[in-house]
Amino acid sequence: MSKDSHSRSSGGFGQQRPQWIYPPQSVLQELSSAKFVHPVYPLAKFCKIGMDNTGALKPDRSALKDMLSAVHKRMQDGICAEWLRRRNSWVGILEASGLARRLILKTNTRTALWLSFPGPTEVGVCLHHVYGVPYLPGSSLKGLARSAMWRDVAPQSTDPPDEVTEIFGLGGDSGHIGLVDFLDGIPLGTSEILTLDVMTTHHAKYYAGNIPYPHDCEGPNPVL
């Protein structure tokens, strides 16, 4: 976080010099001197909001870089190793009894969760609410496994087969719980597992509800 409440942003404003109107200078000073700031704060509660030369309010997209730096520092501090050690202290007992199974998985491509972030930048990432590091929620892993089994057992069925609902459960008023639980996926190592990327929205007016149908006349809108 910069202490200069009127400094030029490196993202979102081009060559314009915005006037930062949020957060207050006192908050920026406290954040800059804090021992630990949760990585999601630059994206959400304390994302700098500025006013450009046209009077429009825009978020400082360099907050994404601030978030990456904070996440990488948490990874280097060994927070994930400690998280894994504490979990293994009790999961190991279940595993020895045949009641749990531990898997080490690696994604084949880049993975992004929680992109629809309810914050000023409107771009987010899945960070643990306490530890501030990327992780794979157990609910996402369970949904992935459920979809894979459904695809293998009954790929043409529009309703989940009994084999799937018996293991993974069934929602609704007449539903029931499943037979398995999935714990959150913890990242291994201390490497920089997050990187900036560019998403290009090709139909911004359509998504905003300003036109009834998408078409190729709209200009793309790259988003960092």
Side-chain angles (χ1 to χ4, degrees):
M1 287 289 185
S2 172
K3 293 184 179 180
D4 184 3
S5 61
H6 297 279
S7 61
R8 183 171 65 85
S9 167
S10 60
F13 293 96
Q15 299 301 318
Q16 298 174 343
R17 289 183 175 273
Q19 179 181 3
W20 299 122
I21 60 176
Y22 179 85
Q25 177 72 12
S26 58
V27 173
L28 292 177
Q29 291 177 347
E30 289 294 331
L31 291 176
S32 64
S33 60
K35 183 177 181 181
F36 168 69
V37 176
H38 197 286
V40 81
Y41 277 9
L43 289 180
K45 295 182 180 295
F46 302 120
C47 178
K48 289 192 291 186
I49 305 295
M51 181 179 296
D52 62 17
N53 295 340
T54 66
L57 298 179
K58 294 183 178 180
D60 178 16
R61 292 199 176 276
S62 66
L64 293 170
K65 297 180 180 179
D66 294 339
M67 181 270 293
L68 285 182
S69 298
V71 167
H72 293 159
K73 184 179 185 305
R74 294 294 285 166
M75 296 290 292
Q76 293 171 358
D77 289 343
I79 187 67
C80 292
E82 178 62 18
W83 181 9
L84 185 62
R85 184 191 67 80
R86 293 186 180 185
R87 174 188 287 180
N88 289 341
S89 65
W90 60 271
V91 170
I93 299 175
L94 298 177
E95 192 174 20
S97 303
L99 298 176
R101 183 178 180 184
R102 184 167 21 188
L103 300 176
I104 298 178
L105 307 175
K106 182 179 180 180
T107 58
N108 292 327
T109 60
R110 290 183 176 182
T111 302
L113 297 175
W114 296 5
L115 288 178
S116 300
F117 186 76
T121 60
E122 297 182 345
V123 178
V125 67
C126 183
L127 298 179
H128 194 274
H129 64 287
V130 175
Y131 301 126
V133 294
Y135 76 110
L136 297 178
S139 57
S140 298
L141 296 174
K142 183 177 181 180
L144 182 64
R146 178 179 181 271
S147 297
M149 183 177 180
W150 186 345
R151 179 189 58 196
D152 292 340
V153 173
Q156 304 301 325
S157 176
T158 57
D159 295 319
D162 294 339
E163 298 95 321
V164 173
T165 58
E166 179 182 3
I167 295 177
F168 293 95
L170 182 66
D173 296 335
S174 59
H176 57 83
I177 63 174
L179 302 177
V180 294
D181 286 325
F182 283 74
L183 302 180
D184 296 334
I186 303 175
L188 301 178
T190 59
S191 60
E192 297 182 355
I193 62 175
L194 288 183
T195 183
L196 291 178
D197 206 339
V198 176
M199 298 185 303
T200 302
T201 304
H202 288 83
H203 303 290
K205 294 182 180 179
Y206 168 71
Y207 292 132
N210 296 328
I211 58 176
Y213 305 103
H215 53 76
D216 294 335
C217 295
E218 294 185 71
N221 180 30
V223 178
L224 179 63

